[in-house]
Amino acid sequence: MARPRKLNENVKANHITKEEKELREKAEKKMHDLTPIQTSPPKWMDDLAKREYRRIVPLLKELPIASLDLSLVVSYCVAYSDLIQATENLKEEPAVIETTSGTKLNQNHIIKREAFKVINSVTPKLGMTIDSRLKIFTPKEENKEVDMFDEF
């Protein structure tokens, strides 16, 4: 497993002051003092969601994820399970269903669409997309005021 990211490791020393560095180190320590996320999935989840939970939690522990993020992780896992199950059901059923009042879209398409929405909204919040990880790991540029008398 990769070592946890540190807030100060990618910042060049000349970009921040000692006080700013100390504040960042204190914030980092407090962040790591949060209760870690549980490694076992909640019992009420279905088997597919539990399996996904067990797969991603060790990976998420490389990021600053804590027990406070449990609801987001569970939401992702349940949506993932719904997506897989709806996709499997669509292999055996038609996409459009004939009814006495006309045709309608198979309910599994609606489930898939809603699961995609949940996954697409939750994954960036957990750092599960490339863009979101880059934001976590890339230090913010400190806006340094330019004083024209510094050159003298």
PDB file of all heavy atoms in Angstrom, residues 108-130:
ATOM      1  N   ASN A 108     -35.097  -1.065 -15.510  1.00  0.00           N
ATOM      2  CA  ASN A 108     -33.658  -1.221 -15.276  1.00  0.00           C
ATOM      3  C   ASN A 108     -32.852  -0.097 -15.918  1.00  0.00           C
ATOM      4  O   ASN A 108     -31.779   0.251 -15.415  1.00  0.00           O
ATOM      5  CB  ASN A 108     -33.190  -2.589 -15.767  1.00  0.00           C
ATOM      6  CG  ASN A 108     -33.661  -3.684 -14.846  1.00  0.00           C
ATOM      7  OD1 ASN A 108     -33.313  -3.700 -13.681  1.00  0.00           O
ATOM      8  ND2 ASN A 108     -34.487  -4.581 -15.364  1.00  0.00           N
ATOM      9  N   HIS A 109     -33.346   0.483 -17.004  1.00  0.00           N
ATOM     10  CA  HIS A 109     -32.663   1.643 -17.581  1.00  0.00           C
ATOM     11  C   HIS A 109     -32.706   2.823 -16.627  1.00  0.00           C
ATOM     12  O   HIS A 109     -31.725   3.552 -16.480  1.00  0.00           O
ATOM     13  CB  HIS A 109     -33.304   2.043 -18.919  1.00  0.00           C
ATOM     14  CG  HIS A 109     -32.786   1.281 -20.085  1.00  0.00           C
ATOM     15  ND1 HIS A 109     -31.505   1.405 -20.543  1.00  0.00           N
ATOM     16  CD2 HIS A 109     -33.389   0.369 -20.882  1.00  0.00           C
ATOM     17  CE1 HIS A 109     -31.328   0.602 -21.578  1.00  0.00           C
ATOM     18  NE2 HIS A 109     -32.457  -0.039 -21.802  1.00  0.00           N
ATOM     19  N   ILE A 110     -33.845   3.013 -15.987  1.00  0.00           N
ATOM     20  CA  ILE A 110     -33.986   4.103 -15.025  1.00  0.00           C
ATOM     21  C   ILE A 110     -33.067   3.872 -13.827  1.00  0.00           C
ATOM     22  O   ILE A 110     -32.407   4.796 -13.347  1.00  0.00           O
ATOM     23  CB  ILE A 110     -35.463   4.242 -14.602  1.00  0.00           C
ATOM     24  CG1 ILE A 110     -36.309   4.583 -15.830  1.00  0.00           C
ATOM     25  CG2 ILE A 110     -35.632   5.283 -13.497  1.00  0.00           C
ATOM     26  CD1 ILE A 110     -37.790   4.440 -15.643  1.00  0.00           C
ATOM     27  N   ILE A 111     -32.996   2.642 -13.361  1.00  0.00           N
ATOM     28  CA  ILE A 111     -32.106   2.306 -12.244  1.00  0.00           C
ATOM     29  C   ILE A 111     -30.653   2.572 -12.630  1.00  0.00           C
ATOM     30  O   ILE A 111     -29.883   3.153 -11.844  1.00  0.00           O
ATOM     31  CB  ILE A 111     -32.306   0.839 -11.809  1.00  0.00           C
ATOM     32  CG1 ILE A 111     -33.702   0.663 -11.206  1.00  0.00           C
ATOM     33  CG2 ILE A 111     -31.222   0.397 -10.827  1.00  0.00           C
ATOM     34  CD1 ILE A 111     -34.110  -0.774 -10.974  1.00  0.00           C
ATOM     35  N   LYS A 112     -30.268   2.161 -13.839  1.00  0.00           N
ATOM     36  CA  LYS A 112     -28.894   2.410 -14.308  1.00  0.00           C
ATOM     37  C   LYS A 112     -28.599   3.905 -14.349  1.00  0.00           C
ATOM     38  O   LYS A 112     -27.541   4.356 -13.901  1.00  0.00           O
ATOM     39  CB  LYS A 112     -28.683   1.813 -15.703  1.00  0.00           C
ATOM     40  CG  LYS A 112     -28.338   0.353 -15.715  1.00  0.00           C
ATOM     41  CD  LYS A 112     -28.157  -0.170 -17.115  1.00  0.00           C
ATOM     42  CE  LYS A 112     -26.957   0.432 -17.790  1.00  0.00           C
ATOM     43  NZ  LYS A 112     -26.601  -0.245 -19.050  1.00  0.00           N
ATOM     44  N   ARG A 113     -29.519   4.679 -14.909  1.00  0.00           N
ATOM     45  CA  ARG A 113     -29.312   6.122 -15.032  1.00  0.00           C
ATOM     46  C   ARG A 113     -29.142   6.762 -13.653  1.00  0.00           C
ATOM     47  O   ARG A 113     -28.238   7.584 -13.447  1.00  0.00           O
ATOM     48  CB  ARG A 113     -30.484   6.745 -15.790  1.00  0.00           C
ATOM     49  CG  ARG A 113     -30.322   8.233 -16.024  1.00  0.00           C
ATOM     50  CD  ARG A 113     -31.413   8.830 -16.882  1.00  0.00           C
ATOM     51  NE  ARG A 113     -32.721   8.488 -16.362  1.00  0.00           N
ATOM     52  CZ  ARG A 113     -33.742   8.109 -17.124  1.00  0.00           C
ATOM     53  NH1 ARG A 113     -33.598   8.002 -18.426  1.00  0.00           N
ATOM     54  NH2 ARG A 113     -34.914   7.836 -16.585  1.00  0.00           N
ATOM     55  N   GLU A 114     -29.981   6.385 -12.690  1.00  0.00           N
ATOM     56  CA  GLU A 114     -29.886   6.950 -11.350  1.00  0.00           C
ATOM     57  C   GLU A 114     -28.591   6.505 -10.650  1.00  0.00           C
ATOM     58  O   GLU A 114     -27.969   7.292  -9.937  1.00  0.00           O
ATOM     59  CB  GLU A 114     -31.106   6.570 -10.512  1.00  0.00           C
ATOM     60  CG  GLU A 114     -32.399   7.189 -11.001  1.00  0.00           C
ATOM     61  CD  GLU A 114     -32.334   8.707 -11.082  1.00  0.00           C
ATOM     62  OE1 GLU A 114     -31.873   9.353 -10.112  1.00  0.00           O
ATOM     63  OE2 GLU A 114     -32.737   9.258 -12.132  1.00  0.00           O
ATOM     64  N   ALA A 115     -28.191   5.269 -10.869  1.00  0.00           N
ATOM     65  CA  ALA A 115     -26.936   4.781 -10.278  1.00  0.00           C
ATOM     66  C   ALA A 115     -25.742   5.543 -10.849  1.00  0.00           C
ATOM     67  O   ALA A 115     -24.821   5.915 -10.107  1.00  0.00           O
ATOM     68  CB  ALA A 115     -26.784   3.283 -10.515  1.00  0.00           C
ATOM     69  N   PHE A 116     -25.752   5.793 -12.165  1.00  0.00           N
ATOM     70  CA  PHE A 116     -24.681   6.590 -12.777  1.00  0.00           C
ATOM     71  C   PHE A 116     -24.626   7.987 -12.168  1.00  0.00           C
ATOM     72  O   PHE A 116     -23.540   8.521 -11.913  1.00  0.00           O
ATOM     73  CB  PHE A 116     -24.878   6.714 -14.292  1.00  0.00           C
ATOM     74  CG  PHE A 116     -24.242   5.614 -15.083  1.00  0.00           C
ATOM     75  CD1 PHE A 116     -25.000   4.858 -15.969  1.00  0.00           C
ATOM     76  CD2 PHE A 116     -22.888   5.328 -14.983  1.00  0.00           C
ATOM     77  CE1 PHE A 116     -24.424   3.849 -16.714  1.00  0.00           C
ATOM     78  CE2 PHE A 116     -22.301   4.323 -15.721  1.00  0.00           C
ATOM     79  CZ  PHE A 116     -23.074   3.581 -16.584  1.00  0.00           C
ATOM     80  N   LYS A 117     -25.780   8.585 -11.922  1.00  0.00           N
ATOM     81  CA  LYS A 117     -25.816   9.926 -11.331  1.00  0.00           C
ATOM     82  C   LYS A 117     -25.166   9.916  -9.945  1.00  0.00           C
ATOM     83  O   LYS A 117     -24.372  10.801  -9.616  1.00  0.00           O
ATOM     84  CB  LYS A 117     -27.253  10.431 -11.223  1.00  0.00           C
ATOM     85  CG  LYS A 117     -27.849  10.879 -12.520  1.00  0.00           C
ATOM     86  CD  LYS A 117     -29.271  11.373 -12.303  1.00  0.00           C
ATOM     87  CE  LYS A 117     -29.964  11.682 -13.609  1.00  0.00           C
ATOM     88  NZ  LYS A 117     -31.370  12.108 -13.398  1.00  0.00           N
ATOM     89  N   VAL A 118     -25.513   8.933  -9.139  1.00  0.00           N
ATOM     90  CA  VAL A 118     -24.939   8.840  -7.789  1.00  0.00           C
ATOM     91  C   VAL A 118     -23.431   8.617  -7.876  1.00  0.00           C
ATOM     92  O   VAL A 118     -22.655   9.293  -7.198  1.00  0.00           O
ATOM     93  CB  VAL A 118     -25.616   7.723  -6.965  1.00  0.00           C
ATOM     94  CG1 VAL A 118     -24.878   7.480  -5.657  1.00  0.00           C
ATOM     95  CG2 VAL A 118     -27.073   8.061  -6.713  1.00  0.00           C
ATOM     96  N   ILE A 119     -23.024   7.692  -8.717  1.00  0.00           N
ATOM     97  CA  ILE A 119     -21.590   7.395  -8.855  1.00  0.00           C
ATOM     98  C   ILE A 119     -20.836   8.629  -9.319  1.00  0.00           C
ATOM     99  O   ILE A 119     -19.778   8.967  -8.779  1.00  0.00           O
ATOM    100  CB  ILE A 119     -21.377   6.197  -9.799  1.00  0.00           C
ATOM    101  CG1 ILE A 119     -21.858   4.907  -9.120  1.00  0.00           C
ATOM    102  CG2 ILE A 119     -19.917   6.086 -10.230  1.00  0.00           C
ATOM    103  CD1 ILE A 119     -21.924   3.707 -10.038  1.00  0.00           C
ATOM    104  N   ASN A 120     -21.371   9.326 -10.312  1.00  0.00           N
ATOM    105  CA  ASN A 120     -20.696  10.515 -10.839  1.00  0.00           C
ATOM    106  C   ASN A 120     -20.660  11.669  -9.846  1.00  0.00           C
ATOM    107  O   ASN A 120     -19.764  12.506  -9.916  1.00  0.00           O
ATOM    108  CB  ASN A 120     -21.347  10.968 -12.141  1.00  0.00           C
ATOM    109  CG  ASN A 120     -20.978  10.071 -13.297  1.00  0.00           C
ATOM    110  OD1 ASN A 120     -19.906   9.475 -13.313  1.00  0.00           O
ATOM    111  ND2 ASN A 120     -21.868   9.959 -14.255  1.00  0.00           N
ATOM    112  N   SER A 121     -21.598  11.715  -8.907  1.00  0.00           N
ATOM    113  CA  SER A 121     -21.558  12.793  -7.919  1.00  0.00           C
ATOM    114  C   SER A 121     -20.693  12.440  -6.708  1.00  0.00           C
ATOM    115  O   SER A 121     -20.096  13.315  -6.094  1.00  0.00           O
ATOM    116  CB  SER A 121     -22.974  13.162  -7.466  1.00  0.00           C
ATOM    117  OG  SER A 121     -23.530  12.146  -6.682  1.00  0.00           O
ATOM    118  N   VAL A 122     -20.603  11.154  -6.367  1.00  0.00           N
ATOM    119  CA  VAL A 122     -19.876  10.746  -5.165  1.00  0.00           C
ATOM    120  C   VAL A 122     -18.385  10.537  -5.421  1.00  0.00           C
ATOM    121  O   VAL A 122     -17.557  10.904  -4.585  1.00  0.00           O
ATOM    122  CB  VAL A 122     -20.526   9.470  -4.566  1.00  0.00           C
ATOM    123  CG1 VAL A 122     -19.666   8.873  -3.478  1.00  0.00           C
ATOM    124  CG2 VAL A 122     -21.909   9.773  -4.041  1.00  0.00           C
ATOM    125  N   THR A 123     -18.031   9.951  -6.551  1.00  0.00           N
ATOM    126  CA  THR A 123     -16.619   9.607  -6.774  1.00  0.00           C
ATOM    127  C   THR A 123     -15.663  10.802  -6.705  1.00  0.00           C
ATOM    128  O   THR A 123     -14.586  10.659  -6.111  1.00  0.00           O
ATOM    129  CB  THR A 123     -16.427   8.834  -8.096  1.00  0.00           C
ATOM    130  OG1 THR A 123     -17.022   9.554  -9.164  1.00  0.00           O
ATOM    131  CG2 THR A 123     -17.012   7.445  -8.006  1.00  0.00           C
ATOM    132  N   PRO A 124     -15.994  11.972  -7.229  1.00  0.00           N
ATOM    133  CA  PRO A 124     -15.048  13.085  -7.062  1.00  0.00           C
ATOM    134  C   PRO A 124     -14.888  13.523  -5.612  1.00  0.00           C
ATOM    135  O   PRO A 124     -13.806  13.946  -5.204  1.00  0.00           O
ATOM    136  CB  PRO A 124     -15.660  14.219  -7.898  1.00  0.00           C
ATOM    137  CG  PRO A 124     -16.689  13.602  -8.749  1.00  0.00           C
ATOM    138  CD  PRO A 124     -17.116  12.337  -8.087  1.00  0.00           C
ATOM    139  N   LYS A 125     -15.942  13.401  -4.834  1.00  0.00           N
ATOM    140  CA  LYS A 125     -15.872  13.809  -3.426  1.00  0.00           C
ATOM    141  C   LYS A 125     -14.964  12.896  -2.626  1.00  0.00           C
ATOM    142  O   LYS A 125     -14.395  13.310  -1.615  1.00  0.00           O
ATOM    143  CB  LYS A 125     -17.276  13.810  -2.816  1.00  0.00           C
ATOM    144  CG  LYS A 125     -18.179  14.855  -3.422  1.00  0.00           C
ATOM    145  CD  LYS A 125     -19.584  14.725  -2.902  1.00  0.00           C
ATOM    146  CE  LYS A 125     -20.498  15.710  -3.617  1.00  0.00           C
ATOM    147  NZ  LYS A 125     -21.897  15.536  -3.249  1.00  0.00           N
ATOM    148  N   LEU A 126     -14.825  11.659  -3.073  1.00  0.00           N
ATOM    149  CA  LEU A 126     -13.972  10.698  -2.373  1.00  0.00           C
ATOM    150  C   LEU A 126     -12.558  10.617  -2.949  1.00  0.00           C
ATOM    151  O   LEU A 126     -11.740   9.862  -2.455  1.00  0.00           O
ATOM    152  CB  LEU A 126     -14.613   9.302  -2.423  1.00  0.00           C
ATOM    153  CG  LEU A 126     -15.889   9.133  -1.624  1.00  0.00           C
ATOM    154  CD1 LEU A 126     -16.550   7.798  -1.944  1.00  0.00           C
ATOM    155  CD2 LEU A 126     -15.590   9.237  -0.133  1.00  0.00           C
ATOM    156  N   GLY A 127     -12.289  11.373  -3.998  1.00  0.00           N
ATOM    157  CA  GLY A 127     -10.972  11.310  -4.627  1.00  0.00           C
ATOM    158  C   GLY A 127     -10.819  10.103  -5.526  1.00  0.00           C
ATOM    159  O   GLY A 127      -9.708   9.627  -5.754  1.00  0.00           O
ATOM    160  N   MET A 128     -11.921   9.597  -6.064  1.00  0.00           N
ATOM    161  CA  MET A 128     -11.889   8.387  -6.880  1.00  0.00           C
ATOM    162  C   MET A 128     -11.791   8.675  -8.370  1.00  0.00           C
ATOM    163  O   MET A 128     -11.855   7.754  -9.179  1.00  0.00           O
ATOM    164  CB  MET A 128     -13.131   7.535  -6.594  1.00  0.00           C
ATOM    165  CG  MET A 128     -13.141   6.986  -5.190  1.00  0.00           C
ATOM    166  SD  MET A 128     -14.679   6.151  -4.759  1.00  0.00           S
ATOM    167  CE  MET A 128     -14.642   4.726  -5.847  1.00  0.00           C
ATOM    168  N   THR A 129     -11.627   9.944  -8.741  1.00  0.00           N
ATOM    169  CA  THR A 129     -11.415  10.287 -10.139  1.00  0.00           C
ATOM    170  C   THR A 129     -10.025  10.903 -10.278  1.00  0.00           C
ATOM    171  O   THR A 129      -9.467  11.415  -9.302  1.00  0.00           O
ATOM    172  CB  THR A 129     -12.467  11.299 -10.646  1.00  0.00           C
ATOM    173  OG1 THR A 129     -12.316  12.517  -9.915  1.00  0.00           O
ATOM    174  CG2 THR A 129     -13.884  10.756 -10.500  1.00  0.00           C
ATOM    175  N   ILE A 130      -9.497  10.872 -11.467  1.00  0.00           N
ATOM    176  CA  ILE A 130      -8.151  11.426 -11.690  1.00  0.00           C
ATOM    177  C   ILE A 130      -8.121  12.902 -11.339  1.00  0.00           C
ATOM    178  O   ILE A 130      -7.221  13.368 -10.637  1.00  0.00           O
ATOM    179  CB  ILE A 130      -7.715  11.194 -13.151  1.00  0.00           C
ATOM    180  CG1 ILE A 130      -7.534   9.701 -13.407  1.00  0.00           C
ATOM    181  CG2 ILE A 130      -6.451  11.960 -13.477  1.00  0.00           C
ATOM    182  CD1 ILE A 130      -7.323   9.339 -14.858  1.00  0.00           C
TER     183      ILE A 130
END
